Amino acid sequence: MLDQPLIKLVLLLSVVVVTAMLTRSTAGVRHQAVRRLLLVGFVVLAAIAILFPRVLTQVAQLLGVGRGADLLLYGLTVVFLGYVAASYRRMRELEQQVTTLARELALRAAVHDTTEYDTTEHDTTEHDTTGDDPDAPPGQSSRRSLS
């Protein structure tokens, strides 16, 4: 457990930093700036790892990891954890927005239907209360006599 303490410390700190970033609000400009800086840092580190693979191996050995590929795997694991957590959080926020919008639309539709019902209910035309069938020939009632 105490072998390779430096890489374990670096990875644990990375997980803590990712967790802290994910628990903060994503609406601010500062958060967007941090995300963009991390993206630029990722691109620079990826370019260095591709162009100079021995540098990655040397950094890995400095941290107590045998190979650069292992260090890359550890780093990608932390990044993937952050991506999954951020995607989950974003999906929850979108689901909440969709729920709120659906509720607002349902309320608006209900108010619109109620308003439409009220205007048709107060129609000024008189209704025939004699019980005559409108489809019956003129002068004949659709009522059956009881006698």
Side-chain angles (χ1 to χ4, degrees):
M1 170 120 176
L2 293 178
D3 58 328
Q4 303 174 339
L6 189 56
I7 187 62
K8 290 180 181 180
L9 180 65
V10 168
L11 289 173
L12 286 174
L13 286 175
S14 299
V15 169
V16 169
V17 167
V18 166
T19 304
M21 286 181 61
L22 292 174
T23 56
R24 297 186 52 176
S25 173
T26 59
V29 175
R30 182 177 178 198
H31 186 77
Q32 280 185 332
V34 169
R35 286 176 54 188
R36 288 180 181 158
L37 286 174
L38 287 174
L39 179 63
V40 169
F42 171 76
V43 169
V44 168
L45 289 176
I48 290 172
I50 291 169
L51 295 174
F52 309 106
R54 289 188 184 198
V55 172
L56 187 60
T57 302
Q58 291 172 348
V59 171
Q61 289 173 349
L62 181 69
L63 293 173
V65 179
R67 301 178 303 167
D70 293 338
L71 179 63
L72 185 62
L73 177 65
Y74 295 152
L76 288 176
T77 301
V78 172
V79 169
F80 180 71
L81 172 69
Y83 174 77
V84 168
S87 295
Y88 174 75
R89 183 177 180 185
R90 197 172 306 121
M91 185 63 71
R92 276 189 53 210
E93 289 174 358
L94 288 174
E95 286 174 353
Q96 288 174 348
Q97 288 177 356
V98 167
T99 301
T100 302
L101 289 172
R103 288 177 180 163
E104 286 180 14
L105 284 174
L107 288 173
R108 286 183 184 177
V111 168
H112 177 71
D113 289 345
T114 303
T115 307
E116 188 175 286
Y117 176 74
D118 287 344
T119 58
T120 59
E121 186 178 283
H122 300 296
D123 197 2
T124 58
T125 61
E126 293 186 24
H127 298 287
D128 185 17
T129 58
T130 61
D132 289 338
D133 185 8
D135 295 329
Q140 292 183 353
S141 175
S142 63
R143 283 192 185 170
R144 292 186 187 168
S145 62
L146 298 175
S147 51

